[in-house]
Structure formats: structure tokens, C-alpha cells
Amino acid sequence: MIITSFVLFLLVFITIGALSALQSDRSSADYLLAGRNVSPSLAGISAMATNNSGYMFIGAIGYTYASGLESIWVMFAWMAGDFLASFFIHKKMRIISQQRKSLSFGSMVATWGGQDFKNVRMLAGVITVLFLGAYAAAQFNASSKALYVVFGWDYGIGALIGSAIVLVYCLAGGIRASIWTDAAQVVVMFMAMILMLVTGINEIGGVETFFTRLTNVSPTYLNLFPADVQGSVFTIALFVLGYVAGGIGIVAQPHIMIRFMALDDPNHMKQARAYYYCSYFAFCVVTFFVGLSARLIFPDISAFDPELALPMMTTQLLPEILVGLVLAGIVAASMSTADSQILGCSAALTEDIINQPENSVWLRRFATTIVTAIALCIALLELDSVFGLVLYAWSVLAAAFAPLIIIYALGEKLTELKALLVMVSCTVIALAWRAMGWGAVVYEVAPAIFFGVLGYFFILKPLLGTPKAQEND
């Protein structure tokens, strides 16, 4: 019964993705950007599904299960930064991408100022393929963990199934297939998460018992901040701002921003944002409480991998047919992100690295196959937890692109040298910050954005730019 209900949901997703091919005009613009005619509701809901991936079902719930109340910042401070960025970046990005006829995230960054910076385009393409590909691998790992708990399957089998399904409907309909299936997947994701919340609270003994038992988990479980940042208001502020900066880093995530680039009209951005943030907030609230309830149901944190908490709740508390529903929700969340990342990498490979001007959908499909294979290989290595791998990939992409995009959005024009210096220096700052172990106190995206933007205005612009040079940028 579990397999039957699970397979039925997956067949629905595959069918929707395949049907999207009927709307295709067989052009590269349609394959990579859905012809820029996506409605505000679909753009917003699809962006939410893509952002709230298997990372939420597996990684975020595992983190909440292990860490308690402090995990609230990863979700809600992050969302606050995301919301702030949307006021001055999203609409400009949509307009610029159409003006420059950009089909990839890297090409938009490279041509934002009106010129085509080929070295920026190449670097952006390489970073996108490497780190967005690793991000996609984390999604395959997320679905693998769920399938392992429910069926006992090896992680590699789950990764193979997830990658095969994603490849099928990406080849069929490109980004439109991804967006259409996201709409169906959001319904299943919410059904699965709400079902687990209601079931978990009921198993604990009701809402009142839930809050009473939370106070008895451990002396630190209800602390708002980790022990190493509680020394002063200053360190607490830095900790929170680190995750706010992480949210601002959304403007550097190709798989999410491509949804807003595909919006039918820049003037519809407000409606798209409303759909996005309302569904995003609701999903985070439910996810947070599911993570807390998992800790009360499985109090021995040393007994298993915390990222298996939700699948274990599912198998122990639900009848088989509903286990299939939740399992489909986890896999749906993973696929809704992985497909977008695979297509983002495909665009980077063809538009930015190869820089192939030919309007060949078959070339894009071949690139999609290659990128899927690369992401699958990374997933099979099982290098890190879903939570850790997602945060790492997100931080590198945010460091490489967010400071540069913010500078552009503020109306600055850059030479190619200045753009490259911003990208490289900010990426180095983020990697060095993480290597020093300071990311536990302040998430590395914050220093990358802070020093990147200030470094441009107070160092690069005065040293490398004269009024005459600026006019010719």
C-alpha cells in the first residue's frame, strides 16, 4: 500500500511535467525561461516550492529536532532577509533579464551593465555548475534518506530514482515542466507537513502537553541562541544578522530567481511576491513545530541521524496509505528544487561556459542530462548532511553573486575587472570565514556581502575608477 500510494503521486508529477511539453514552442527561451509568460500565482508558488525543498523536510526538521528553539533563526531571520531583498532586486532583475535577453542567471549578471563581460559569464557559469550542482545533489540525498527509512533501500537507489524522475520531465518541458509540477507538489508538501504536525501533536497528548513537555527536553533546548553567541547583545545581533544576510542571498540563487525572471510582466512582481511569502511563512511555521514534536516523540537524540526524524515519525505514526503521501511530499519537495537546479546548471553550461549561440533545445537537453549525471555522482558520494551541504552551496552562490547584484541594483556601473574582483574576493571571504569556524557565530554570507559592498564603494571604486572610466564602463 505504501508503494502504491507513493508511486501514484509520482506518476501524477511526471504526467504534469510531460504535459507541459504541449505548451512548448521548442525554443531555448521557452526551455530555459518558459517564454517569460508565467503567471504571478505560478511564479510565486513555484519559487516557494523550489526554495522549501527536501532541505526543509529532512535538513531543517533534523536541525530543529537536534537544536530546538534556536533553529527559528534559520527559518524566520532568513525569510526576513529574503523579504527585504525582494523590495529592490526582484523587479529590476526581471526587467534587466528581458532587456539583455538573458537565458541564464550568469548571462544576466555578466550583461547587467550593458556590456557582455565574457570572463564574468564564464566564472559565473563555473560557480553555478559546481555549487548549484552540489545543491541538487543534496536534494537527491534528502529523498534517499526518506526512502531508506520507509523501505530500507540503499541511499544510492533513492538518488537514482529521484534523478531519473527529474530528468524525465525536465527533458520533456524544461522550466515550464518544473513550474507546473511545483504547483502540484506544493499541495502534496503542505498536506504531508500538516498531516505530520496534527499526528505528532496528537501522539504527544495535545497542544497543552506539547508545550509542557518542551520545557523538560534539556536545559538548553528552549534557548533562543546557541551557547557561543549568548555573551552579549553584540554577538546576538551578529548571529541574527548573519541569517538575515543568508536570506538576502536569495538574489544569488539561480534556481529560485529564474522563477521571477520568467514572470509574464515586471509589474506583476507584487502579486508574485504575495503568493511566495504567504505560502513560505505558513510552510516554515508548520515545519518548525513538526521538528519540535519529533524531539518529544523520539527523545533519544543519540539513537539515530536527526535528519531521519520525519521519515521515522511517518512510519511509526501513520497508516501505510498516508505514509505514501508523506513520502511523496518529501520526494516532491526534493524534486521541486532539484529540477530547477539541474535546469539552472544546464543554462550555465550552454549559455555561459560553452556560450553556444545556437537556438538548439536538443543541446540544452543534452546539457541537462550531463548535469543530472554530475549531481547524481555527487549524491552517491554522500559527502555531507543535507542541511550542511545546502548551507554550504547557498553561501558560496550568495557570496559570489549577491554583493555584485546589490551593487548593480544601486545603480553602479562596473568594469569587468571590478566585477571579477567583487565576485572572487567575496567568495574567498565566505570560504575563509567558514574554514576558520566562525560560521557558527555569524553565517558566512554576512561578511561576504558586508565587505563586498563596502569594499567596492570605499576601495575598488576610488582606486580603479575615474569619472571618465566610469562613463565608459
Side-chain angles (χ1 to χ4, degrees):
M1 184 61 75
I2 297 176
I3 292 181
T4 301
S5 60
F6 173 61
V7 170
L8 284 175
F9 280 112
L10 293 187
L11 286 176
V12 169
F13 300 147
I14 294 172
T15 302
I16 291 172
L19 288 174
S20 70
L22 299 177
Q23 296 292 320
S24 173
D25 63 10
R26 309 296 177 183
S27 68
S28 293
D30 188 88
Y31 186 76
L32 298 176
L33 277 177
R36 290 192 176 90
N37 62 7
V38 178
S39 68
S41 58
L42 271 179
I45 291 172
S46 176
M48 176 270 171
T50 300
N51 192 10
N52 293 280
S53 57
Y55 156 79
M56 292 292 279
F57 276 90
I58 300 297
I61 285 181
Y63 181 56
T64 301
Y65 169 87
S67 303
L69 206 57
E70 70 181 59
S71 68
I72 197 170
W73 302 110
V74 180
M75 298 184 195
F76 296 101
W78 199 287
M79 192 190 310
D82 185 326
F83 185 66
L84 288 173
S86 71
F87 280 100
F88 70 102
I89 298 288
H90 291 43
K91 185 175 180 178
K92 290 181 181 179
M93 187 176 288
R94 168 63 181 82
I95 293 170
I96 289 293
S97 70
Q98 183 166 14
Q99 288 178 346
R100 307 292 184 252
K101 298 180 180 179
S102 302
L103 298 183
S104 72
F105 189 82
S107 66
M108 181 203 62
V109 172
T111 61
W112 191 304
Q115 300 179 25
D116 188 355
F117 294 152
K118 289 182 169 52
N119 292 318
V120 169
R121 182 192 286 260
M122 174 65 74
L123 179 59
V126 171
I127 291 173
T128 299
V129 170
L130 289 177
F131 293 96
L132 199 61
Y135 201 156
Q139 307 312 314
F140 296 150
N141 280 344
S143 57
S144 296
K145 290 192 173 189
L147 294 172
Y148 166 76
V149 170
V150 177
F151 301 124
W153 293 349
D154 183 82
Y155 281 3
I157 296 175
L160 283 167
I161 292 173
S163 61
I165 293 171
V166 165
L167 183 60
V168 166
Y169 65 75
C170 280
L171 292 180
I175 196 68
R176 179 177 280 106
S178 175
I179 291 172
W180 281 24
T181 53
D182 282 348
Q185 287 163 348
V186 161
V187 176
V188 177
M189 286 164 59
F190 265 104
M191 288 173 60
M193 198 66 85
I194 292 171
L195 175 63
M196 290 314 304
L197 177 60
V198 173
T199 304
I201 295 294
N202 183 65
E203 176 71 14
I204 292 163
V207 175
E208 185 176 348
T209 304
F210 169 78
F211 285 106
T212 300
R213 288 181 58 186
L214 276 179
T215 60
N216 300 322
V217 173
S218 74
T220 61
Y221 196 67
L222 294 185
N223 287 349
L224 267 174
F225 305 100
D228 50 1
V229 301
Q230 292 188 32
S232 68
V233 174
F234 179 70
T235 56
I236 289 174
L238 288 178
F239 174 79
V240 174
L241 286 174
Y243 284 121
V244 171
I248 292 173
I250 186 134
V251 302
Q253 309 303 317
H255 59 295
I256 301 171
M257 298 311 297
I258 207 76
R259 265 73 183 152
F260 297 111
M261 289 167 62
L263 185 63
D264 57 2
D265 188 330
N267 293 320
H268 293 164
M269 188 62 70
K270 185 179 293 186
Q271 296 97 304
R273 288 170 61 240
Y275 282 102
Y276 173 66
Y277 289 109
C278 288
S279 56
Y280 187 3
F281 179 79
F283 195 74
C284 280
V285 169
V286 178
T287 300
F288 176 68
F289 282 104
V290 170
L292 294 177
S293 64
R295 181 61 178 271
L296 300 182
I297 295 170
F298 305 112
D300 185 4
I301 191 172
S302 63
F304 59 90
D305 178 357
E307 293 193 340
L308 301 181
L310 181 65
M312 288 183 62
M313 283 179 65
T314 302
T315 56
Q316 292 199 20
L317 303 181
L318 295 178
E320 288 190 350
I321 189 169
L322 295 181
V323 172
L325 168 65
V326 176
L327 186 60
I330 297 171
V331 175
S334 302
M335 291 193 306
S336 70
T337 300
D339 56 13
S340 308
Q341 292 163 337
I342 294 296
L343 288 167
C345 290
S346 174
L349 185 60
T350 56
E351 303 294 316
D352 303 327
I353 297 176
I354 300 175
N355 197 12
Q356 174 57 255
E358 181 185 356
N359 187 22
S360 170
V361 174
W362 289 109
L363 176 65
R364 274 68 185 175
R365 287 174 174 161
F366 177 71
T368 300
T369 305
I370 295 298
V371 170
T372 304
I374 293 172
L376 175 60
C377 289
I378 297 173
L380 293 175
L381 293 175
E382 299 175 30
L383 295 177
D384 205 345
S385 69
V386 173
F387 187 80
L389 190 54
V390 166
L391 285 186
Y392 180 69
W394 182 287
S395 66
V396 174
L397 291 166
F401 299 128
L404 185 60
I405 290 171
I406 291 170
I407 292 167
Y408 274 132
L410 292 174
E412 291 293 308
K413 290 186 175 293
L414 288 78
T415 61
E416 184 167 26
L417 176 60
K418 283 186 273 186
L420 286 170
L421 286 172
V422 170
M423 291 176 68
V424 172
S425 62
C426 291
T427 304
V428 170
I429 288 171
L431 292 174
W433 194 273
R434 188 179 185 89
M436 294 295 291
W438 298 338
V441 179
V442 181
Y443 184 43
E444 56 265 22
V445 174
I449 291 178
F450 180 78
F451 290 115
V453 174
L454 291 185
Y456 168 77
F457 282 104
F458 291 102
I459 299 176
L460 288 183
K461 187 175 180 180
L463 289 180
L464 300 181
T466 63
K468 183 177 180 181
Q470 288 283 7
E471 288 175 5
N472 294 328
D473 280 354

